[in-house]
Amino acid sequence: MSKHIFVTGGVSSSLGKGIFAASIAKLLQGRGYKVTIQKFDPYINVDPGTLNPYEHGECFVTDDGAETDLDLGHYERFLNIRTSQANNVTTGRIYQTVINKEREGAYLGKTVQVIPHITDEIKRRMLLLGESGEYDIVITELGGTVGDIESLPYIEAVRQLKWELGKDNALVCHLTLIPFLSAAGELKTKPTQHSVKELSRNGVQPDILICRTEHKLDDDIRSKLARFCNVDLECVLEAIDAPSIYHVPMLMEAENADVTILKKLALPYEGKSNFDNWKAFVHKLNNPVKKIEIGLIGKYVELQDAYISINEAFKHAGVVFSCKVEIIPIHSESLNTTNLDEKLGKLNGIVVAPGFGDRGIEGKIEAIRYARLNKIPFFGICLGMQCAVIEFARNVLSLKDAHSLEMDPSTTNPVIHLMASQKEVSKKGGTMRLGQYSCDLAKDSLAYKLYQADQIKDRHRHRYEFNNDYLESFENAGMLATGKNVENNLVEIIEVKDHPFFIGVQFHPEYSSTVAKPHPLFKGFVEAAIAMKEQ
Ligand code: GLN
């Protein structure tokens, strides 16, 4: 039977529950335990696929095509595991299941209520991954903050499970904030006391407190927290601000988090966690010997979390070359034909980001033209690839009104058009081409050189695709389709000949880059950008 760790948050949102969960999972993995993490989100959307990045940051996609919370990206990147639909559950999905069952007559004669029906469904889902027998430990992160109305059924489910699973099989970690009042020159414990009280009022006593802080916690503060929050002294863990998310497993190790957790779960804890490769990665991340500047062109660049997987994939790839990859966010709406030199001239590489809708599209197309003509390494991801196709059609094939049907439904040259499988689709949720598909690579291509494989698999999330009616003209003019999904006859990768590095991919390689396994396309692009800089 799997043991369960529940992670709740108090005082404030954005304290980094996902990073904490991934970090302790890393420590436990380093001791040989098989660990997975799941996230329960209290909002009513069935999944975050219909949320725009302003609402909830990036939407992460799993191999099995689930549109999920971005924390699943952290779990995969930290643990080098694959997650699935089962790792992310929302209130919407819980209610949908219960309501469907009610309609089928599963509760015939009964009043269907939050307790027990909703909480039972939450509990069933919380236990699901653990029942596969694949994991020693399942970590469940609860989205939201204790005290939120919508979190209550989840807290109640945790309360019941803690009781049902028994003392050695389940524990609750509560992540909280210890603010520093500069006027008083003091760290304050009161918000944490209140948050623990709120949790206890709902019947859940946390076992371990993880205290986010800007300053070190001294012994007095630690013992005060232990005494007033009713936890053992060794269960008060400091989580001081870290230079990067990748430092957090080491901070947690220094706080003995793994030992404390394993003791509570009655699991062997002798020796130390071995995650030396991770430490070597962090050492290289801290000590780069060179630096490149990559322009990331998108329309959500002002949001830290909108392109989080792309940013992290660049860190993984940069470390391979001991190179700091400085991402220069460039709003696609700020680009026009008059300022390209000023905005793009100094860059060592240009990435055009994924996206939906026509806002900022012309800026993206201009940036690609600039990269193509000035031989700057270019990497287009999903919409970025589609824009590269449009740019080539307009400026090389002279199809002046070439466009994607998504942006211009009346264009006479729809070089990007709606996939056949999407034509009948009218519902928005979970209806795109989602998840992993295979792609055959052309032997003498850049893609083949980077992947070193005949066939690869990467994850998709889009409705539109390359229009094969134009393929021959493109190939004759020097833009080649070097990756194809043979089953569905879809172009997945395009490259431009006679260019140091020009590649566009219809899929999202950023989703599958991890610390242990940086993605080959990101590595290749970084290498090309370094070469460009050193030229
Ligand atoms: N909007 C484009 C499509 O739906 C690209 C999607 C994306 O970049 N993820 O095909």
Side-chain angles (χ1 to χ4, degrees):
M1 195 183 83
S2 301
K3 308 245 178 184
H4 289 266
I5 300 173
F6 298 98
V7 180
T8 58
V11 179
S12 159
S13 59
S14 303
L15 293 181
K17 285 192 296 274
I19 299 298
F20 166 73
S23 298
I24 54 169
K26 189 77 220 163
L27 291 182
L28 297 170
Q29 192 188 48
R31 288 172 170 273
Y33 290 104
K34 290 199 262 359
V35 191
T36 193
I37 318 180
Q38 53 185 352
K39 170 112 194 242
F40 281 65
D41 276 312
Y43 52 72
I44 295 172
N45 302 66
V46 172
D47 62 42
T50 52
L51 296 173
N52 81 31
Y54 289 111
E55 294 282 326
H56 210 65
E58 173 190 274
C59 171
F60 186 76
V61 178
T62 55
D63 280 349
D64 64 344
E67 297 178 280
T68 70
D69 186 81
L70 58 81
D71 274 335
L72 272 75
H74 291 310
Y75 309 159
E76 293 202 2
R77 289 187 283 272
F78 271 56
L79 302 179
N80 197 39
I81 56 163
R82 295 300 174 101
T83 57
S84 72
Q85 179 65 75
N87 295 73
N88 192 198
V89 176
T90 68
T91 293
R93 199 170 285 279
I94 298 280
Y95 270 79
Q96 196 180 47
T97 309
V98 171
I99 291 170
N100 287 346
K101 276 170 76 177
E102 187 275 335
R103 293 288 83 184
E104 285 161 12
Y107 313 108
L108 221 49
K110 291 263 180 272
T111 311
V112 183
Q113 294 178 299
V114 172
I115 298 171
H117 301 99
I118 295 297
T119 46
D120 279 355
E121 178 58 17
I122 294 174
K123 280 172 16 187
R124 187 184 73 80
R125 301 256 186 176
M126 283 177 168
L127 295 176
L128 216 55
L129 283 173
E131 283 161 3
S132 68
E134 271 180 66
Y135 305 107
D136 304 314
I137 301 167
V138 176
I139 301 176
T140 303
E141 179 193 347
L142 296 191
T145 308
V146 167
D148 297 347
I149 289 176
E150 59 262 45
S151 295
L152 280 173
Y154 293 95
I155 303 290
E156 170 60 14
V158 169
R159 184 192 71 74
Q160 292 183 26
L161 280 180
K162 235 190 139 189
W163 183 84
E164 285 166 26
L165 292 166
K167 188 166 113 348
D168 295 338
N169 298 317
L171 67 84
V172 174
C173 296
H174 189 57
L175 192 73
T176 171
L177 177 70
I178 313 293
F180 180 76
L181 289 196
S182 41
E186 273 180 27
L187 288 165
K188 290 295 182 189
T189 64
K190 193 75 87 190
T192 297
Q193 295 179 44
H194 280 298
S195 161
V196 170
K197 200 180 271 172
E198 181 66 25
L199 204 50
S200 316
R201 210 166 62 84
N202 295 309
V204 176
Q205 166 64 44
D207 300 281
I208 295 178
L209 290 182
I210 303 93
C211 306
R212 285 299 312 276
T213 172
E214 288 173 27
H215 299 274
K216 291 206 77 56
L217 303 182
D218 63 23
D219 289 346
D220 284 349
I221 293 266
R222 284 183 193 253
S223 76
K224 194 170 172 188
L225 282 163
R227 189 165 341 116
F228 290 117
C229 298
N230 227 353
V231 299
D232 301 337
L233 190 55
E234 63 171 10
C235 293
V236 177
L237 309 182
E238 170 192 285
I240 199 158
D241 288 357
S244 88
I245 56 172
Y246 298 107
H247 289 72
V248 179
M250 277 113 97
L251 295 182
M252 286 300 115
E253 185 187 37
E255 287 291 296
N256 239 359
D258 49 344
V259 173
T260 303
I261 285 170
L262 290 169
K263 274 192 200 166
K264 290 254 167 217
L265 292 176
L267 288 168
Y269 58 86
E270 292 75 27
K272 274 172 71 82
S273 174
N274 178 354
F275 59 116
D276 292 350
N277 291 343
W278 181 276
K279 290 178 183 164
F281 166 86
V282 176
H283 180 76
K284 281 179 92 178
L285 187 68
N286 280 345
N287 298 286
V289 298
K290 48 192 157 217
K291 188 180 136 185
I292 51 171
E293 291 188 3
I294 302 293
L296 174 62
I297 316 222
K299 63 174 177 177
Y300 301 111
V301 288
E302 68 280 19
L303 289 170
Q304 213 186 326
D305 281 348
Y307 305 112
I308 191 161
S309 292
I310 295 180
N311 287 317
E312 300 311 319
F314 272 120
K315 287 185 194 139
H316 309 156
V319 161
V320 175
F321 303 97
S322 298
C323 178
K324 179 172 169 51
V325 181
E326 180 101 51
I327 302 289
I328 314 287
I330 300 173
H331 205 293
S332 45
E333 279 181 309
S334 76
L335 292 174
N336 57 56
T337 42
T338 64
N339 63 9
L340 295 174
D341 272 331
E342 172 211 332
K343 296 238 179 202
L344 310 175
K346 291 198 188 68
L347 298 172
N348 310 119
I350 292 177
V351 179
V352 174
F356 295 83
D358 65 352
R359 189 163 64 90
I361 200 86
E362 295 304 324
K364 291 183 179 176
I365 293 171
E366 279 309 323
I368 296 169
R369 177 177 147 94
Y370 189 86
R372 185 172 56 77
L373 295 177
N374 293 290
K375 305 243 185 272
I376 301 172
F378 166 75
F379 187 9
I381 302 179
C382 207
L383 180 62
M385 173 261 199
Q386 297 175 354
C387 288
V389 169
I390 297 165
E391 189 279 318
F392 199 86
R394 288 185 187 175
N395 299 319
V396 180
L397 303 182
S398 303
L399 305 172
K400 290 296 167 213
D401 77 331
H403 222 318
S404 163
L405 284 183
E406 180 182 8
M407 322 300 164
D408 179 3
S410 61
T411 174
T412 57
N413 285 297
V415 289
I416 302 294
H417 67 171
L418 200 56
M419 278 184 283
S421 57
Q422 289 289 326
K423 288 194 176 133
E424 305 303 320
V425 173
S426 61
K427 286 196 181 154
K428 288 281 180 263
T431 56
M432 280 184 264
R433 180 179 179 214
L434 288 166
Q436 217 176 42
Y437 285 85
S438 66
C439 169
D440 288 13
L441 303 182
K443 266 271 158 17
D444 49 0
S445 62
L446 174 62
Y448 186 89
K449 193 178 127 204
L450 299 176
Y451 278 102
Q452 292 290 318
D454 297 317
Q455 195 182 59
I456 54 116
K457 279 192 173 135
D458 258 300
R459 303 178 204 179
H460 291 250
R461 181 173 189 249
H462 57 105
R463 293 183 203 283
Y464 294 84
E465 57 154 335
F466 183 90
N467 183 345
N468 282 322
D469 293 347
Y470 293 88
L471 184 56
E472 213 182 304
S473 334
F474 272 88
E475 298 216 302
N476 289 338
M479 180 176 270
L480 308 178
T482 58
K484 283 188 189 161
N485 176 278
V486 185
E487 269 152 65
N488 304 305
N489 192 26
L490 297 173
V491 171
E492 311 280 42
I493 307 180
I494 53 96
E495 294 176 21
V496 164
K497 283 199 287 196
D498 305 325
H499 191 287
F501 191 106
F502 190 107
I503 196 163
V505 293
Q506 187 59 83
F507 45 81
H508 291 264
E510 71 275 23
Y511 291 146
S512 45
S513 180
T514 70
V515 166
K517 251 184 142 191
H519 195 284
L521 293 181
F522 281 86
K523 276 196 287 184
F525 179 68
V526 166
E527 193 174 22
I530 294 171
M532 154 107 189
K533 182 169 181 186
E534 286 171 357
Q535 230 174 50

